[in-house]
Amino acid sequence: MNLRLFSSTFTSLILSVSISAQTQIYDIISKKDTLGMVTVSKSNKENITYYHYNVDMTAKLLINVHMKYMIKATYVSGYLLSASVQNMVNGKPYHSNEINWQDTYYSITSKSKKQQKVLEKINYSGIRLFFDEPREIKKVFSEYTGQFGNIQKINANSYELTLHNGKKNKYHYHQNILEKATINNSLIHFDLILRK
């Protein structure tokens, strides 16, 4: 085997087993002001999918509030295996969750609440809204709250998510990717706009 053929074969083999990754950045906009950004990524390796979500924003309420928010989630064969949530406000821990599949249920551990159990296997959680248009999805699990919300199509490629507390968010897609979201479940209302 000559060197060129070997090199080509070796490169093809490496590429076929490497992780395919996708990253998107969103601006957080409220009343025409840019408050920060959201970076999301999705990577696949065989039947495992890794999601990562990172928010860095500053909002002016009575004082400046700097928020950092991170989610990591792992799916295996289309179902949530584990997720972690870390939320910091002005440099101090504010909220955290650890979600883990325990063979027959999910355990949700949070510093602020007693341990919860979710018996239903989760195939679609909030982090997937960025990468996978929820065409046939009726329920979305929130990694942050540990609760399910209901989602419905409102027109072509647009969906409305009703959260467990009754608040509603809207999501608009183009070619399966989230292009814009209107978020109403926070202290402030804002839009997430995909950078192009």
Side-chain angles (χ1 to χ4, degrees):
M1 178 184 285
N2 70 30
L3 186 57
R4 179 174 284 163
L5 182 58
F6 174 77
S7 177
S8 175
T9 304
F10 182 75
T11 302
S12 296
L13 179 63
I14 294 297
L15 290 175
S16 69
V17 296
S18 67
I19 295 175
S20 62
Q22 184 179 0
T23 299
Q24 294 154 200
I25 298 173
Y26 295 82
D27 289 309
I28 304 169
I29 310 290
S30 179
K31 299 178 183 175
K32 299 184 182 179
D33 293 327
T34 301
L35 306 180
M37 68 181 203
V38 176
T39 305
V40 291
S41 63
K42 173 185 177 181
S43 57
N44 296 295
K45 185 174 183 182
E46 297 174 2
N47 67 336
I48 304 173
T49 306
Y50 303 96
Y51 294 91
H52 188 263
Y53 170 97
N54 190 49
V55 173
D56 193 335
M57 69 181 280
T58 301
K60 196 171 243 185
L61 300 170
L62 295 175
I63 58 170
N64 278 349
V65 178
H66 182 217
M67 290 174 269
K68 287 192 171 186
Y69 180 35
M70 185 184 69
I71 298 175
K72 290 182 180 177
T74 302
Y75 277 73
V76 175
S77 300
Y79 289 95
L80 183 67
L81 177 68
S82 63
S84 65
V85 175
Q86 298 293 327
N87 187 199
M88 305 278 287
V89 176
N90 290 338
K92 296 179 182 176
Y94 180 74
H95 175 77
S96 65
N97 264 355
E98 292 291 331
I99 302 164
N100 290 289
W101 177 246
Q102 305 288 337
D103 293 327
T104 57
Y105 67 92
Y106 291 95
S107 67
I108 305 175
T109 307
S110 172
K111 289 183 181 177
S112 58
K113 297 179 184 176
K114 67 178 188 175
Q115 187 172 18
Q116 297 172 259
K117 284 185 181 180
V118 173
L119 302 177
E120 181 179 342
K121 278 199 93 172
I122 297 164
N123 67 348
Y124 198 99
S125 63
I127 202 164
R128 288 193 62 191
L129 286 163
F130 290 92
F131 296 100
D132 306 304
E133 185 175 340
R135 289 186 180 94
E136 303 297 322
I137 301 299
K138 302 294 180 198
K139 294 196 303 184
V140 177
F141 179 78
S142 168
E143 297 92 348
Y144 190 89
T145 66
Q147 304 281 334
F148 284 95
N150 297 314
I151 194 162
Q152 64 180 4
K153 190 171 190 172
I154 52 176
N155 57 47
N157 307 110
S158 294
Y159 302 82
E160 183 174 72
L161 174 61
T162 303
L163 302 168
H164 71 283
N165 59 10
K167 293 188 176 181
K168 298 176 188 292
N169 296 337
K170 291 184 180 174
Y171 300 86
H172 309 280
Y173 291 82
H174 180 69
Q175 297 180 343
N176 203 39
I177 300 296
L178 181 67
E179 203 168 50
K180 178 183 176 184
T182 301
I183 308 299
N184 295 308
N185 64 318
S186 186
L187 291 173
I188 54 169
H189 302 309
F190 57 86
D191 290 330
L192 300 178
I193 309 291
L194 178 63
R195 285 188 191 173
K196 301 210 176 168

